[in-house]
Amino acid sequence: MPFEQAFRLSSVLLAATALTGLLFARIVPAWLAAVTILILTVTLLDAIDWPPGMRLAARMPASPILWNGLLIGAFALFLLDAAIISGEMLPAGIHFLVILLGIKLLTLHHRRDYRHLYAICLMALLATASLTTDAWYVPVFLLYLLATVWTLLLYHLTGQTPRSVPTPTGRPNALPNPRRITGRFFWLTNGIALLTFALTLAIFFVLPRVSAGLLPKSRGEGLKTTGFSERVDLGMIGSVKEDPQIVMRVELPDQPAPGKDRLYLRGLAYDRYDGRSWSAGSRHRRNLGLIGDGTFLVRPSGSRTPSGPSDQLRQDILLEALDTSVLFAAPFAESLSGEFAGVQADAMTGLHVPYPASSRIRYSVTSREPRITADEQSARELDYANAVRDRYLQLPELSPRVTELARRVAEGATTPYEKTAAVLQHLLNGYRYSLDLETTASARPIEDFLFARKTGYCEHYATAMVVMLRSLGIPARLVTGFLATEWNDFGGYYTVRQRDAHAWVEVYYPRSGWITLDPTPASGAVPSPSGWEALQRIGESLRLQWDRTFIRYSARDQLAVVHGLRDGSDSARDVVGQWVTALRAAAARTLDRVATQTRTADPVAGGFLAVLPAALLALLIVLVRTRWRSGLFSNRPAARAQQIVHLYRRMQDIAARQGIVTGPSTTPMEFVKLVGREWTEAGSTVASVTALYCRGRFSGAALSREELAGALEQVGALQHLTRAAR
Amino acid sequence: MTNSFSQTRIARIASRLRRLATRRSIRLTSEGTRFLLLTLGIGMAAINTGNNLFYLLLAMMLSLVVISGLLSEQCLRGLAFHRHVPDLVMANDPTTVTLSVTNRHAHLPSFSVKLFDVAGGQDLDRGLFVGHLPAQRSLLLSYPLLASTRGWIRLECIRAETLFPFGLFRKRALYQVHADILVGPPIKPLSLRFVDELVSEGQGLSLPRRGHGTQLYNLRLYQPGDDSRAIHWMTTARTSQLIVRETEAEDQRRITILLSTVAPEDRNFLFEHSVTLVASLLWQLSHRSYPLRLIVGREDSGLGSGSDHLLAMLRLLALCERRQPGRSADDAADQVGALSHDAERGYTVVVMPWVDPDRPAAPVAADRVLHAAQIEELTHAF
C-alpha cells in the first residue's frame, strides 16, 4: 500500500477510535452518532479506494463558504445545546466536537486539515477519559496509541517529499525511497508503537501524582440506591431487586477464597418502627478519630469491647459512586482507612463520609463480628440496660395477633436465645420469599405478611422478626446493607450488585453485643452459573485490575512502590553481601588447599596447576573463534556479506605480510593483477576470493554458506603459503 | 604560570563543550510546538482533576516525545559520510561532487535525513535527501557545485538533519568530513585570430616534440585515455601488448607566459580578467600541444606539455594573488629580464594588467606584451 493511502487510512482510523470512545461513553445522541458513523464509513471506503475510482469524499463540494457556514451553524447549535438542550457545557462541547469531527472528515484536503483532525481526536479521547473509568477505555486507548504512531509517522513521511535537484547526470537527488508499506516498515512501526506503549506505562507509574484542584470539580450523580436514607419504607428494597448494576467489589486480603458463601455488608441500622417505615431515633453522628496514615478508629476509645468470642475480618472495598454517603462494611467495623477527609459514625455504628463521593472510592475496613457466648445462650434471663430497653423494645401499635403469634412461636423456649432461634426458624420455614408483590402500600404490611400473604422479601422478614422479638422483650433492630454472594474466582473478590440490597436483623445480648441474624430464606431464583457468566466474571476481574492499577493509582501507591524498592534493594544487598562473603571464603579455602598441595611437591598436580591458566586461555580463544565462525555461517545474507568483506581484508593483510602492499585506491581487480604478477602461487586463490568479495559486496546477490566456507578455507590455506623469493 | 595553565584548560574544556553542543542540536518544529502545548494542557488538566486517565494520556504524549528523541538519535548515529571531489574545478563551470552515505547501524534503517554542506560556518542546502537507507547499506549522492571565484573552497562538515519519526523535533548532527576544493580561473573562448597570431609569431624556436603531425615520434604502451585510432596494430600484434604511435608535432614552438601579479586594488577586476585570459590561453595552446611555461609572480611551472602540466599551471593561476604595487622584487619586468638569459624560454608573452606610471618603462625582453588596454579588449566579452 502506498504511503499516501496508508496515511489517509490511518488518519480515518484514528478518528474512528476517538469516536468509538465517545460512543462507548454514551454521550453522543443516536442521530448524531449515526450521521458521524456514516461519514466515517464513507471516508474509510475512500481511504481504501473502494469501490475503485469512486472517491465520494473527494466529490463533496469544496466551497469554503459552505463549510464555514456549517461550522458557524454547529457553533450556534453548541450554544443552544449548552443553554437549553443539554443545559451543561461538557455534553454540549462533546456534541460540538463530534460535529466538528464529521465536518473535518469530509474536508480533508490539505495537511492542515489532517492536523485539525488529530487535535479533534485528541480532544475526543480526553473527553472520553473525563467521562469514564471503565475498562473498555483500555482497548480504545491502545487502538488510539497504535493509530497515533502510524498516523504521525506517515504524516511526517508523506510530508517529506524530496526536492528534485538536477544533477549533471540528469538524475534528481531523490534517493530510492520505498514510499510503500513494506513488511519491514509494518513491523518497525508496530514495534515503535509497542515501545511507546511500554514507555507510556513507565511514565504513567512514575509521573508524580499531584491533584491541585485548581478548578472546581463537578460532582457527578452517583448510582441511585434505596434503603440507606434516614427513613426506609417497607417495600423500597424490592424495587432494586432485579437491578444488576455493580455497587461495590469486596476483597478479603486474608482469605484468598471465601470462608463463607455469603458476606453481610452493613450499611445503616434502624431502631424505630412506626408500623409502615423504619427510622433512626437519633441522628447524631460523631467524627471518627484519626490514628495516623489515613486510618480512622470506629470504636470510640474507652468504649467497652464485647467480651464474647469474635472473628476478625479485613476487607478492601471498591465502592462505586452512589447517591448516599454511607460506607459499607462487614459487621462490625473497628477501623477504616482510605483517602477521606473525615469519616463519621452514627449511634448504631453506621459509617458515613461527609458527602456522597463523586467517583469510585476505595477503602479498607477491619471488622470484628461477635459470636454469642455460651452462658448467654443458656441464660434464662438477660439484664438489659434501661437505655437499651427504651430504644430497642419500641413497638408501634400492632395487632394483638402479632404478639400472640410471637408467644405461640416461642412457646417452649426457655431462654432469650432459644426464643430468638424459634422466631428465626418460624420465619425461615413458614413463609415464602417472593418479589412479586403489589407495590401499593399496605396500611399494615407486617400483619399482611404474617397472616395474609405469607410471602414477602427481606424487609418483611426482618421487620417481622424485629417486631416479634421486641414483643417477646428481646432488643433487636433492623439493618440494611448488601448481602454479597457472588464470588469472583478469577479476581478473588465478591461482586456486589444493586440486587444484593438486603435487610436483616441484629439482636442484642448484653455481654456478646449485637448478633447478626437473617430470617430471609434463600431466594429460589438463583441462576446457575453458565459459561457466559464465567466469561463475565473474567471481564469483571479484569475491570477490577484496571481500576486498581490505573484508575486508583495514587501518590500513596507510588510511595509504597518506592518503599518496596528500597526494602527490596536492602534485602538484595544483604543477599549479595552474603554471597560475596561465602564466595570469598570458598576461594580462600581453595587457594589455601592449592598452596598446601603445591608445597607437598606433587609434580603432577603442580604441572596441572601451571597448565590450567594456559588451557583456560586457549579455551577462550577457541570459543571466540567458534563464535566468529558461527557468525560466518549466519543465516542472514547481510551478515554473510559482512563476513566476505572481513575475509577480503584478511587476505589483503596476508598479502601485505608477503610484501604486496596495496593503497586505499587500489581496486579489487588491480589487487588480483598485482598478486598474480608478484605472487603467482596465490594468484588463483586471491582471484577466486576477490570475485566472491565483489559479488557479495557490490552485486547485492547473497552468498551461499558453502561459498563462504570455501572462501574461509582458501584464505586459511593462503596463510600457510610463502611467497617465493624473486 | 599556573594562571595560564588553568586558562588553557578552561579554554580547552570550553572548546570541547562548544564542539559537543554543535555536534547535536534539537529544535522544535511548528507541529512539535503545538504538540507540546497540547501536552501541557493535558498535564494541567491531569493535575487539576487528579484523573488517572488524563495522566495516562499525558504519559502517552510524553512517551511520544521521548521516542521521537530516541529514534531520531538512532537515525543519525549510524551514519558515515565520505565526500569525493575533483582535484581542480574551474570557476563558473558546474562540477559534480559525490557524497557516499553509509548506515553503519546493525539493524535500524535511517529515514528522511536531509544533508547540508557546511562551509564557512554556513549550512548550504544542496537538495540532498535520504528517504530511506537500510541498515548496513550505502548510497551515493551527487550534486552540482558551481564556484564563482577561483581559490580554495573548504567544505568543513556535513550536517544531517531529520524530522523522523513524528516530525515534532528537528534533530541535527554534525559530521567532520573535510574537503578542500581548488577552483581555477574560468576558461573562456578566445579570439582565434589572436591565438593564431601568437602561434605564427614565434617561428624558429623549435625542438622535436610530440604533437599532431605525420612523422613518427615514438612508440609506447597504451594508456587509458589514449586515442584508440593511434594504436599501432602491427607492433601490438608482434608484442601482444597494446602499443600506440606518437607523432612529431609539425609546429614546434615553445611558449612562455608571464603574468604580472602587481596591480592596485582598483585594478583588481582587470587582474582577475588577466588571470582568466592566461588560463584560457594556456587551455587553447595546450590543446594545440605546445610546450608551455607559466610564470606567475615568483611561481614558475617550468616547461612542459600535456594535461597534467596544464593542470599544474591552472593550479598556479587558481592560487595566485594580486599584490599591491611598491614591491619591486615582484615586478614582472625584472622577471622578464631574468628570462632573457634563459635560452629555452621560447616565445614569451607577458600579461601586465597594470604598469606603474611613475616608473620608467623597463626594457622588457618579451616577444609580446599585453597591457591593460589589450587585456580589456580581449576580455570584454568574458
Side-chain angles (χ1 to χ4, degrees):
Chain A
M1 183 185 285
F3 274 1
E4 281 71 20
Q5 191 183 5
F7 167 59
R8 285 199 304 273
L9 181 63
S10 69
S11 299
V12 177
L13 288 177
L14 184 76
T17 313
L19 181 68
T20 307
L22 288 177
L23 293 181
F24 276 153
R26 295 176 186 172
I27 187 99
V28 185
W31 67 270
L32 185 56
V35 170
T36 319
I37 289 170
L38 184 67
I39 293 171
L40 201 62
T41 312
V42 168
T43 45
L44 193 66
L45 290 176
D46 269 7
I48 57 172
D49 200 15
W50 192 89
M54 276 295 283
R55 300 304 309 271
L56 274 174
R59 291 181 187 185
M60 293 297 290
S63 162
I65 299 171
L66 172 72
W67 295 113
N68 288 341
L70 270 176
L71 282 177
I72 293 168
F75 186 70
L77 192 65
F78 159 66
L79 293 177
L80 193 70
D81 193 2
I84 300 166
I85 303 171
S86 300
E88 282 184 57
M89 283 300 283
L90 184 64
I94 290 170
H95 300 159
F96 181 51
L97 206 61
V98 174
I99 294 171
L100 281 185
L101 184 73
I103 292 174
K104 198 41 84 179
L105 278 170
L106 289 173
T107 53
L108 287 174
H109 302 306
H110 306 105
R111 291 177 69 78
R112 180 183 71 230
D113 299 323
Y114 283 95
R115 287 199 299 270
H116 295 167
L117 181 72
Y118 305 152
I120 293 170
C121 291
L122 184 65
M123 289 300 114
L125 193 72
L126 195 67
T128 308
S130 72
L131 290 169
T132 187
T133 52
D134 287 342
W136 56 255
Y137 187 83
V138 181
V140 171
F141 177 79
L142 289 179
L143 286 175
Y144 184 86
L145 192 148
L146 185 67
T148 299
V149 169
W150 271 94
T151 307
L152 287 180
L153 199 64
L154 289 169
Y155 177 84
H156 160 63
L157 290 178
T158 50
Q160 290 283 300
T161 311
R163 285 187 297 138
S164 292
V165 176
T167 63
T169 55
R171 286 181 306 177
N173 261 328
L175 294 170
N177 193 348
R179 303 197 69 77
R180 294 185 73 82
I181 305 292
T182 58
R184 191 176 280 260
F185 183 86
F186 177 81
W187 290 115
L188 179 75
T189 311
N190 287 335
I192 293 174
L194 194 66
L195 193 65
T196 309
F197 176 63
L199 200 60
T200 299
L201 287 186
I203 294 176
F204 172 79
F205 289 116
V206 170
L207 266 178
R209 290 301 188 275
V210 183
S211 180
L214 302 174
L215 298 170
K217 233 186 294 186
S218 64
R219 198 160 292 163
E221 280 185 16
L223 200 61
K224 289 198 174 1
T225 54
T226 53
F228 310 109
S229 53
E230 296 291 339
R231 182 183 182 88
V232 176
D233 292 327
L234 250 64
M236 278 177 84
I237 289 180
S239 63
V240 297
K241 286 305 252 184
E242 303 286 350
D243 189 347
Q245 286 194 82
I246 294 176
V247 174
M248 69 182 108
R249 297 166 182 88
V250 183
E251 287 177 275
L252 307 176
D254 301 330
Q255 297 178 22
K260 41 193 176 184
D261 58 353
R262 43 174 51 195
L263 176 71
Y264 289 92
L265 293 156
R266 193 172 184 278
L268 291 180
Y270 298 91
D271 55 357
R272 299 194 65 79
Y273 179 59
D274 64 4
R276 291 186 62 181
S277 61
W278 284 94
S279 60
S282 165
R283 290 182 182 178
H284 172 72
R285 292 180 194 170
R286 63 183 171 85
N287 288 319
L288 298 187
L290 197 62
I291 57 171
D293 198 24
T295 302
F296 295 87
L297 191 65
V298 178
R299 188 176 294 282
S301 56
S303 65
R304 190 169 62 88
T305 313
S307 54
S310 58
D311 299 322
Q312 184 174 303
L313 185 66
R314 274 201 311 135
Q315 313 123 68
D316 287 338
I317 298 174
L318 180 69
L319 187 68
E320 296 291 324
L322 304 177
D323 63 347
T324 174
S325 64
V326 175
L327 294 178
F328 299 87
F332 290 89
E334 290 199 320
S335 65
L336 178 146
S337 59
E339 291 182 1
F340 300 116
V343 180
Q344 298 167 333
D346 59 28
M348 288 178 281
T349 57
L351 301 172
H352 304 259
V353 281
Y355 48 82
S358 59
S359 60
R360 284 176 187 162
I361 47 175
R362 187 175 194 90
Y363 57 96
S364 301
V365 183
T366 303
S367 302
R368 190 177 289 278
E369 186 174 12
R371 278 181 283 135
I372 187 165
T373 57
D375 55 342
E376 282 195 324
Q377 281 186 28
S378 56
R380 286 183 165 272
E381 288 219 353
L382 294 172
D383 184 19
Y384 300 111
N386 286 336
V388 172
R389 286 174 181 279
D390 292 346
R391 193 164 179 182
Y392 298 109
L393 290 178
Q394 173 270 335
L395 278 172
E397 195 176 321
L398 287 171
S399 161
R401 290 175 68 194
V402 177
T403 315
E404 181 58 33
L405 175 68
R407 284 209 185 106
R408 198 171 64 242
V409 168
E411 206 171 31
T414 54
T415 65
Y417 176 75
E418 286 176 359
K419 288 177 185 171
T420 306
V423 171
L424 183 69
Q425 283 306 315
H426 174 76
L427 289 170
L428 280 173
N429 300 329
Y431 297 85
R432 194 168 58 85
Y433 184 89
S434 172
L435 289 171
D436 303 328
L437 297 182
E438 285 180 17
T439 52
T440 50
S442 163
R444 293 174 172 271
I446 286 305
E447 285 85 343
D448 282 352
F449 168 66
L450 286 174
F451 305 113
R453 290 197 308 269
K454 297 204 172 181
T455 61
Y457 40 84
C458 54
E459 286 167 299
H460 299 104
Y461 282 91
T463 304
M465 183 167 177
V466 173
V467 168
M468 287 171 76
L469 289 178
R470 285 186 179 184
S471 65
L472 293 171
I474 300 171
R477 64 189 179 193
L478 181 121
V479 181
T480 57
F482 290 93
L483 177 58
T485 54
E486 186 181 333
W487 176 257
N488 189 317
D489 295 319
F490 303 98
Y493 60 88
Y494 282 106
T495 304
V496 183
R497 302 175 188 276
Q498 278 273 47
R499 65 182 178 216
D500 295 325
H502 195 53
W504 62 92
V505 176
E506 285 175 359
V507 182
Y508 184 72
Y509 292 89
R511 290 170 64 188
S512 304
W514 290 97
I515 303 295
T516 300
L517 292 171
D518 189 356
T520 310
S523 163
V526 178
S528 59
S530 61
W532 175 242
E533 273 199 0
L535 275 180
Q536 275 186 327
R537 285 181 186 179
I538 292 173
E540 174 60 31
S541 166
L542 290 176
R543 277 198 289 276
L544 182 70
Q545 289 300 331
W546 157 252
D547 193 274
R548 183 188 303 157
T549 316
F550 287 88
I551 304 296
R552 299 289 124 205
Y553 188 71
S554 64
R556 182 182 288 199
D557 296 318
Q558 286 181 321
L559 271 179
V561 170
V562 171
H563 288 157
L565 284 177
R566 195 186 59 192
D567 296 346
S569 69
D570 285 350
S571 58
R573 199 172 49 208
D574 291 346
V575 169
V576 170
Q578 285 167 9
W579 273 47
V580 168
T581 312
L583 277 176
R584 199 186 291 164
R589 277 198 302 275
T590 311
L591 283 175
D592 199 28
R593 205 173 300 151
V594 168
T596 316
Q597 288 215 356
T598 313
R599 274 200 301 275
T600 55
D602 182 351
V604 178
F608 174 73
L609 285 171
V611 167
L612 188 64
L616 285 175
L617 189 66
L619 185 67
L620 188 69
I621 290 168
V622 168
L623 278 176
V624 168
R625 286 176 69 92
T626 313
R627 186 185 161 91
W628 187 81
R629 283 178 69 93
S630 68
L632 190 70
F633 302 119
S634 161
N635 280 325
R636 289 190 304 120
R640 291 207 289 273
Q642 279 296 104
Q643 293 304 326
I644 191 67
V645 173
H646 189 79
L647 278 179
Y648 179 72
R649 284 191 191 139
R650 205 168 132 198
M651 198 167 67
Q652 279 183 319
D653 290 345
I654 294 169
R657 280 202 294 276
Q658 299 292 339
I660 303 168
V661 183
T662 53
S665 61
T666 309
T667 64
M669 287 303 122
E670 284 172 344
F671 176 59
V672 170
K673 263 189 177 176
L674 193 63
V675 173
R677 199 168 57 233
E678 302 285 330
W679 188 12
T680 324
E681 303 86 351
S684 60
T685 305
V686 170
S688 161
V689 176
T690 306
L692 270 184
Y693 162 74
C694 289
R695 185 151 66 81
R697 181 158 189 195
F698 303 114
S699 74
L703 298 180
S704 69
R705 290 206 279 183
E706 291 72 25
E707 284 173 325
L708 210 55
L712 181 66
E713 274 179 23
Q714 283 180 312
V715 173
L718 204 60
Q719 208 155 14
H720 303 294
L721 203 64
T722 314
R723 187 182 169 199
R726 295 170 70 95
Chain B
M1 183 78 175
T2 316
N3 270 347
S4 72
F5 178 70
S6 60
Q7 276 175 2
T8 315
R9 280 189 71 179
I10 289 169
R12 202 179 299 156
I13 291 168
S15 157
R16 275 186 190 169
L17 284 175
R18 203 163 35 244
R19 215 178 311 147
L20 206 66
T22 52
R23 218 165 262 178
R24 286 281 190 281
S25 71
I26 192 158
R27 285 185 187 173
L28 270 175
T29 60
S30 55
E31 279 90 359
T33 309
R34 290 182 196 127
F35 188 86
L36 281 192
L37 285 175
L38 279 172
T39 308
L40 191 69
I42 291 175
M44 287 181 67
I47 289 172
N48 179 49
T49 58
N51 185 338
N52 268 338
L53 294 187
F54 285 13
Y55 275 107
L56 191 64
L57 211 50
L58 176 66
M60 182 192 82
M61 298 187 79
L62 290 176
S63 69
L64 285 173
V65 170
V66 175
I67 291 284
S68 279
L70 291 176
L71 288 183
S72 59
E73 180 60 32
Q74 286 301 321
C75 205
L76 297 179
R77 181 175 280 182
L79 293 181
F81 298 92
H82 185 73
R83 194 165 13 209
H84 306 271
V85 293
D87 291 337
L88 177 72
V89 301
M90 311 315 285
N92 297 327
D93 187 15
T95 190
T96 304
V97 176
T98 310
L99 188 68
S100 152
V101 190
T102 308
N103 181 5
R104 291 183 304 189
H105 207 287
H107 305 290
L108 290 178
S110 287
F111 284 99
S112 43
V113 181
K114 272 180 86 174
L115 302 174
F116 300 88
D117 262 337
V118 181
Q122 298 287 317
D123 288 0
L124 306 172
D125 188 359
R126 312 284 194 195
L128 300 175
F129 181 77
V130 181
H132 174 229
L133 182 58
Q136 300 284 318
R137 298 284 290 274
S138 300
L139 56 85
L140 282 176
L141 299 171
S142 58
Y143 61 91
L145 181 75
L146 187 66
S148 55
T149 54
R150 63 190 176 81
W152 283 108
I153 291 181
R154 165 156 268 221
L155 300 176
E156 293 153 4
C157 315
I158 298 281
R159 192 185 294 287
E161 175 187 295
T162 186
L163 297 172
F164 187 77
F166 304 132
L168 305 178
F169 300 98
R170 188 184 303 278
K171 187 145 198 175
R172 311 175 95 194
L174 203 61
Y175 301 84
Q176 300 293 329
V177 189
H178 293 290
D180 291 316
I181 304 172
L182 187 59
V183 181
I187 305 294
K188 300 284 183 183
L190 289 175
S191 149
L192 276 176
R193 199 176 58 144
F194 167 69
V195 180
D196 288 343
E197 269 178 26
L198 281 184
V199 170
S200 60
E201 275 177 11
Q203 294 290 346
L205 301 166
S206 62
L207 283 174
R209 61 179 174 82
R210 189 173 63 231
H212 290 293
T214 51
Q215 295 296 316
L216 180 69
Y217 174 72
N218 187 25
L219 288 175
R220 62 167 174 81
L221 278 172
Y222 175 85
Q223 286 178 350
D226 283 344
D227 190 346
S228 59
R229 289 173 301 183
I231 294 174
H232 196 265
W233 291 108
M234 286 176 68
T235 320
T236 301
R238 196 169 59 246
T239 58
S240 302
Q241 284 185 309
L242 273 177
I243 303 290
V244 290
R245 175 172 171 270
E246 288 181 329
T247 55
E248 189 176 321
E250 285 178 349
D251 48 349
Q252 297 170 347
R253 277 143 295 179
R254 286 163 290 154
I255 299 177
T256 298
I257 299 177
L258 191 146
L259 171 66
S260 168
T261 56
V262 180
E265 196 171 351
D266 61 344
R267 290 296 180 101
N268 188 48
F269 180 73
L270 195 61
F271 173 73
E272 288 299 328
H273 271 214
S274 303
V275 174
T276 307
L277 172 67
V278 171
S280 307
L281 195 56
L282 288 172
W283 183 273
Q284 290 268 355
L285 295 173
S286 177
H287 278 79
R288 294 185 183 204
S289 304
Y290 286 97
L292 296 169
R293 181 179 177 189
L294 173 69
I295 300 171
V296 182
R298 293 189 145 193
E299 302 289 335
D300 187 345
S301 71
L303 193 65
S305 60
S307 56
D308 288 350
H309 185 63
L310 176 66
L311 280 177
M313 291 187 291
L314 290 176
R315 278 196 196 99
L316 282 184
L317 287 174
L319 296 172
C320 74
E321 287 179 1
R322 180 183 59 79
R323 278 187 279 256
Q324 284 291 343
R327 296 157 69 182
S328 59
D330 298 335
D331 206 34
D334 297 339
Q335 287 170 31
V336 174
L339 267 181
S340 60
H341 305 294
D342 189 343
E344 289 197 348
R345 73 180 198 277
Y347 185 71
T348 308
V349 180
V350 176
V351 180
M352 296 185 72
W354 179 78
V355 177
D356 191 351
D358 299 334
R359 291 182 63 184
V364 176
D367 299 301
R368 179 88 180 254
V369 179
L370 299 175
H371 288 295
Q374 288 164 291
I375 295 169
E376 276 178 4
E377 188 191 341
L378 285 168
T379 60
H380 75 280
F382 286 3

